[in-house]
Amino acid sequence: MISFLEAAEAHLHRTAELLNLEPEMVEFLSKPMRVSEFRIPLRMDNEEVKIFTAYRVVHNDALGPSRDGTRIMPNLTLDEVKALAMIMTVKHAVAGLPAGGGKGGIVADPAQLSRHELEQLCRGFIRRLSPKGAWVDVPGADIGTSGQTQAWMLDEYEQIMGFHSPAAINDKPAIVGGSLGGEEATGRGVFYIAVEASKSKALNPQSCRVVIQGFGTVGKNAAKLLHNEGFKITAVGDIYGAISDSVGLDIPKLVNHVERTGSVVDFPRAKALSNQELLETGCEILIPAAVENVINEENASRVKAKIIIEAANGPLTPSADDTLLDKGVTIIPDIVANEGGIIVCQFERTQGLYDMYWDLATIRKHLKERILKAYEDTVNTASEIRVSLREAAWVNGLNKVCEAVRMRGWV
Ligand code: NAD
């Protein structure tokens, strides 16, 4: 299987062909503009000193200050961070956000650290990260980070600078200058797109069976909103297993069950399924909202959904993509479908810079407008130049980046 970085590069080269990009532009965009690798020495609770490796990659900042997540995970690699930074450049552009693509992380297992050690690691990351700040590079949260880690990072930045600067760090809690609606944003964006996509296929919610893999932040929020709208969520799964109910699962009760037991498994009166069966269950909409590569060359031909909405990052391998497109399945790619979070991060930044904070209704209204605009632009480009939605999204995103690069006279 090709690596995450190779897959991102393949998308870039395919888009370069579609846009007929000049070779210098392709060379410039193939590699990040800036790569930092640095060490964070940390005195552990037992007085031992451990040295952690950290990365921050800025792929391209022609459209604005680079932004996006910080992963803290034991098997993090620089190649993975480079791939994610490249994808962030395109994602921000697809959503029409004035932001460049950045990504960072620390090679560490947060589960093995005490709260005090994790705090010191996050503070160490910010102390040694350079350059940084609201107008340069803004770290957000990702795997292994949370509102709490972002609050520590913000505090460290403000202590160093000697002034408040809420727009310097993203995904922080509202009480320290974060935005309302951040937690639900990605699931809510997936919901808005599911509603539009079902309309485009003349499906009404009552006759639309939805299957969701992953019942965490994204999957659960999408499920709750779809259920409220009248969609039938007929099967869901998590890392422990999956369940189905052909008349539709009672999602509020399932949310309570998951809060009590930690999993969807053993939900009363539901049928148990394996995770593989879940993805192959007959449905109109399939939402993979867990991990990457779950639909691959092995199982793609057995997937029965009419529409797949990629809520997770990279849930379909390139060969699965080809198989499903040949079968006539509509695939709404991750770089459009899961943009809700980065859109609300833009609102977080705007609110921080203005020092004026919006209510939830305002955030939801603007989120809906933004994500549906990105979706509509993607659909229009796909039909104009006769490519898949994924290719269309890359074309729209990369086109904006290239325009900014040329306008700045870089290439
Ligand atoms: P989460 O950790 O809150 O939930 C993940 C869910 O997936 C859990 O229910 C977990 O049990 C399940 N899961 C994990 N491994 C699995 C496996 N191998 N098979 C089946 N189920 C599995 O994560 P999340 O924040 O909901 O993110 C889900 C996906 O969406 C990830 O790919 C993430 O990168 C992507 N994403 C998240 C956001 C966001 O705002 N949280 C934004 C963009 C993209």
Side-chain angles (χ1 to χ4, degrees), residues 309-339:
I309 304 177
E310 291 189 323
N313 285 317
L316 271 67
T317 64
S319 70
D321 214 41
D322 292 343
T323 306
L324 289 160
L325 287 173
D326 285 348
K327 279 174 62 173
V329 178
T330 300
I331 301 166
I332 303 171
D334 47 8
I335 59 166
V336 179
N338 68 23
E339 287 195 326

Short mmCIF file of all heavy atoms in Angstrom, two decimals, residues 309-339:
data_model
loop_
_atom_site.label_atom_id
_atom_site.label_comp_id
_atom_site.label_asym_id
_atom_site.label_seq_id
_atom_site.Cartn_x
_atom_site.Cartn_y
_atom_site.Cartn_z
N ILE A 309 -19.54 9.61 2.24
CA ILE A 309 -19.06 10.92 2.70
C ILE A 309 -17.86 10.67 3.60
O ILE A 309 -17.99 10.10 4.68
CB ILE A 309 -20.18 11.68 3.46
CG1 ILE A 309 -21.41 11.80 2.57
CG2 ILE A 309 -19.69 13.05 3.92
CD1 ILE A 309 -22.60 12.46 3.22
N GLU A 310 -16.69 11.10 3.15
CA GLU A 310 -15.45 10.82 3.89
C GLU A 310 -15.29 11.78 5.07
O GLU A 310 -14.66 12.83 4.95
CB GLU A 310 -14.23 10.96 2.98
CG GLU A 310 -14.11 9.89 1.92
CD GLU A 310 -12.78 9.97 1.19
OE1 GLU A 310 -12.28 11.09 0.95
OE2 GLU A 310 -12.22 8.91 0.86
N ALA A 311 -15.86 11.40 6.20
CA ALA A 311 -15.71 12.24 7.40
C ALA A 311 -14.31 12.07 7.99
O ALA A 311 -13.70 13.02 8.48
CB ALA A 311 -16.78 11.88 8.42
N ALA A 312 -13.79 10.85 7.96
CA ALA A 312 -12.42 10.60 8.43
C ALA A 312 -11.45 11.10 7.37
O ALA A 312 -11.85 11.37 6.24
CB ALA A 312 -12.21 9.10 8.65
N ASN A 313 -10.18 11.21 7.73
CA ASN A 313 -9.16 11.55 6.75
C ASN A 313 -8.71 10.27 6.05
O ASN A 313 -8.30 9.32 6.72
CB ASN A 313 -7.98 12.22 7.43
CG ASN A 313 -8.31 13.65 7.82
OD1 ASN A 313 -8.92 14.39 7.05
ND2 ASN A 313 -7.96 14.03 9.05
N GLY A 314 -8.82 10.25 4.73
CA GLY A 314 -8.31 9.13 3.94
C GLY A 314 -8.92 7.77 4.21
O GLY A 314 -8.20 6.77 4.23
N PRO A 315 -10.25 7.65 4.39
CA PRO A 315 -10.82 6.32 4.65
C PRO A 315 -10.82 5.40 3.43
O PRO A 315 -10.92 4.19 3.58
CB PRO A 315 -12.25 6.62 5.11
CG PRO A 315 -12.58 7.93 4.50
CD PRO A 315 -11.29 8.70 4.43
N LEU A 316 -10.71 5.99 2.21
CA LEU A 316 -10.69 5.16 0.99
C LEU A 316 -9.28 5.16 0.41
O LEU A 316 -8.67 6.21 0.27
CB LEU A 316 -11.63 5.76 -0.07
CG LEU A 316 -13.09 5.30 -0.06
CD1 LEU A 316 -13.80 5.78 1.18
CD2 LEU A 316 -13.82 5.82 -1.30
N THR A 317 -8.81 3.98 0.03
CA THR A 317 -7.52 3.94 -0.67
C THR A 317 -7.76 4.35 -2.12
O THR A 317 -8.90 4.28 -2.60
CB THR A 317 -6.91 2.52 -0.64
OG1 THR A 317 -7.80 1.65 -1.36
CG2 THR A 317 -6.71 2.01 0.77
N PRO A 318 -6.71 4.76 -2.85
CA PRO A 318 -6.91 5.16 -4.25
C PRO A 318 -7.56 4.05 -5.09
O PRO A 318 -8.42 4.32 -5.92
CB PRO A 318 -5.49 5.47 -4.74
CG PRO A 318 -4.75 5.86 -3.49
CD PRO A 318 -5.33 5.03 -2.39
N SER A 319 -7.20 2.77 -4.83
CA SER A 319 -7.80 1.72 -5.67
C SER A 319 -9.28 1.52 -5.32
O SER A 319 -10.10 1.24 -6.20
CB SER A 319 -7.01 0.41 -5.56
OG SER A 319 -7.19 -0.15 -4.29
N ALA A 320 -9.63 1.69 -4.06
CA ALA A 320 -11.05 1.61 -3.67
C ALA A 320 -11.83 2.74 -4.33
O ALA A 320 -12.97 2.56 -4.79
CB ALA A 320 -11.18 1.69 -2.15
N ASP A 321 -11.21 3.89 -4.38
CA ASP A 321 -11.81 5.06 -5.03
C ASP A 321 -12.18 4.70 -6.48
O ASP A 321 -13.31 4.93 -6.92
CB ASP A 321 -10.75 6.17 -5.04
CG ASP A 321 -11.35 7.55 -4.89
OD1 ASP A 321 -12.28 7.70 -4.08
OD2 ASP A 321 -10.89 8.46 -5.60
N ASP A 322 -11.21 4.11 -7.20
CA ASP A 322 -11.44 3.75 -8.61
C ASP A 322 -12.58 2.75 -8.73
O ASP A 322 -13.49 2.91 -9.55
CB ASP A 322 -10.17 3.12 -9.22
CG ASP A 322 -9.05 4.15 -9.34
OD1 ASP A 322 -9.34 5.36 -9.26
OD2 ASP A 322 -7.88 3.73 -9.48
N THR A 323 -12.54 1.69 -7.89
CA THR A 323 -13.57 0.65 -7.96
C THR A 323 -14.96 1.25 -7.74
O THR A 323 -15.91 0.96 -8.47
CB THR A 323 -13.30 -0.42 -6.87
OG1 THR A 323 -11.97 -0.87 -7.03
CG2 THR A 323 -14.27 -1.57 -6.94
N LEU A 324 -15.07 2.11 -6.73
CA LEU A 324 -16.39 2.65 -6.38
C LEU A 324 -16.87 3.67 -7.40
O LEU A 324 -18.06 3.74 -7.71
CB LEU A 324 -16.33 3.24 -4.96
CG LEU A 324 -16.22 2.14 -3.89
CD1 LEU A 324 -15.68 2.69 -2.59
CD2 LEU A 324 -17.58 1.49 -3.66
N LEU A 325 -15.95 4.46 -7.94
CA LEU A 325 -16.35 5.42 -8.99
C LEU A 325 -16.87 4.65 -10.21
O LEU A 325 -17.88 5.04 -10.80
CB LEU A 325 -15.17 6.33 -9.38
CG LEU A 325 -14.78 7.39 -8.35
CD1 LEU A 325 -13.49 8.10 -8.78
CD2 LEU A 325 -15.88 8.42 -8.12
N ASP A 326 -16.20 3.53 -10.54
CA ASP A 326 -16.67 2.71 -11.67
C ASP A 326 -18.07 2.17 -11.42
O ASP A 326 -18.85 1.98 -12.35
CB ASP A 326 -15.73 1.51 -11.90
CG ASP A 326 -14.43 1.94 -12.56
OD1 ASP A 326 -14.37 3.10 -13.04
OD2 ASP A 326 -13.47 1.14 -12.57
N LYS A 327 -18.38 1.91 -10.14
CA LYS A 327 -19.73 1.42 -9.80
C LYS A 327 -20.77 2.54 -9.76
O LYS A 327 -21.92 2.32 -9.45
CB LYS A 327 -19.69 0.75 -8.41
CG LYS A 327 -19.16 -0.68 -8.43
CD LYS A 327 -18.98 -1.25 -7.03
CE LYS A 327 -20.23 -1.37 -6.20
NZ LYS A 327 -20.03 -2.08 -4.92
N GLY A 328 -20.31 3.78 -9.98
CA GLY A 328 -21.24 4.91 -9.98
C GLY A 328 -21.55 5.49 -8.61
O GLY A 328 -22.52 6.24 -8.43
N VAL A 329 -20.71 5.15 -7.63
CA VAL A 329 -20.92 5.69 -6.27
C VAL A 329 -20.44 7.14 -6.23
O VAL A 329 -19.40 7.47 -6.80
CB VAL A 329 -20.14 4.84 -5.24
CG1 VAL A 329 -20.31 5.39 -3.83
CG2 VAL A 329 -20.60 3.39 -5.30
N THR A 330 -21.21 8.00 -5.56
CA THR A 330 -20.77 9.38 -5.37
C THR A 330 -19.88 9.42 -4.12
O THR A 330 -20.32 9.03 -3.04
CB THR A 330 -22.01 10.30 -5.14
OG1 THR A 330 -22.82 10.21 -6.30
CG2 THR A 330 -21.61 11.74 -4.88
N ILE A 331 -18.65 9.89 -4.31
CA ILE A 331 -17.72 9.94 -3.16
C ILE A 331 -17.42 11.40 -2.86
O ILE A 331 -16.83 12.11 -3.69
CB ILE A 331 -16.41 9.19 -3.49
CG1 ILE A 331 -16.71 7.73 -3.82
CG2 ILE A 331 -15.43 9.28 -2.31
CD1 ILE A 331 -15.55 6.99 -4.47
N ILE A 332 -17.84 11.84 -1.69
CA ILE A 332 -17.56 13.23 -1.30
C ILE A 332 -16.27 13.20 -0.49
O ILE A 332 -16.22 12.61 0.60
CB ILE A 332 -18.75 13.84 -0.54
CG1 ILE A 332 -19.99 13.72 -1.45
CG2 ILE A 332 -18.46 15.29 -0.15
CD1 ILE A 332 -21.27 14.05 -0.80
N PRO A 333 -15.19 13.79 -1.03
CA PRO A 333 -13.86 13.56 -0.44
C PRO A 333 -13.66 14.29 0.88
O PRO A 333 -14.30 15.32 1.14
CB PRO A 333 -12.93 14.12 -1.51
CG PRO A 333 -13.72 15.17 -2.21
CD PRO A 333 -15.15 14.70 -2.19
N ASP A 334 -12.73 13.74 1.66
CA ASP A 334 -12.42 14.33 2.98
C ASP A 334 -12.08 15.81 2.90
O ASP A 334 -12.45 16.57 3.80
CB ASP A 334 -11.27 13.54 3.65
CG ASP A 334 -10.09 13.25 2.73
OD1 ASP A 334 -10.06 13.79 1.60
OD2 ASP A 334 -9.19 12.49 3.14
N ILE A 335 -11.38 16.23 1.84
CA ILE A 335 -10.95 17.63 1.82
C ILE A 335 -12.12 18.61 1.64
O ILE A 335 -11.94 19.81 1.74
CB ILE A 335 -9.82 17.93 0.80
CG1 ILE A 335 -10.22 17.59 -0.62
CG2 ILE A 335 -8.52 17.26 1.20
CD1 ILE A 335 -9.25 18.19 -1.64
N VAL A 336 -13.31 18.07 1.40
CA VAL A 336 -14.53 18.89 1.42
C VAL A 336 -15.37 18.50 2.64
O VAL A 336 -15.79 19.34 3.44
CB VAL A 336 -15.37 18.68 0.15
CG1 VAL A 336 -16.64 19.52 0.20
CG2 VAL A 336 -14.56 19.00 -1.09
N ALA A 337 -15.58 17.18 2.80
CA ALA A 337 -16.56 16.69 3.78
C ALA A 337 -16.19 17.00 5.23
O ALA A 337 -17.07 17.25 6.05
CB ALA A 337 -16.74 15.18 3.61
N ASN A 338 -14.89 16.95 5.57
CA ASN A 338 -14.58 17.15 7.00
C ASN A 338 -13.97 18.52 7.30
O ASN A 338 -13.23 18.69 8.26
CB ASN A 338 -13.75 15.99 7.56
CG ASN A 338 -12.35 15.90 7.00
OD1 ASN A 338 -11.79 16.88 6.53
ND2 ASN A 338 -11.76 14.71 7.05
N GLU A 339 -14.36 19.51 6.49
CA GLU A 339 -13.80 20.85 6.68
C GLU A 339 -14.45 21.66 7.78
O GLU A 339 -13.98 22.77 8.07
CB GLU A 339 -13.96 21.65 5.38
CG GLU A 339 -13.02 21.20 4.31
CD GLU A 339 -12.93 22.22 3.19
OE1 GLU A 339 -13.94 22.86 2.90
OE2 GLU A 339 -11.85 22.35 2.63
#
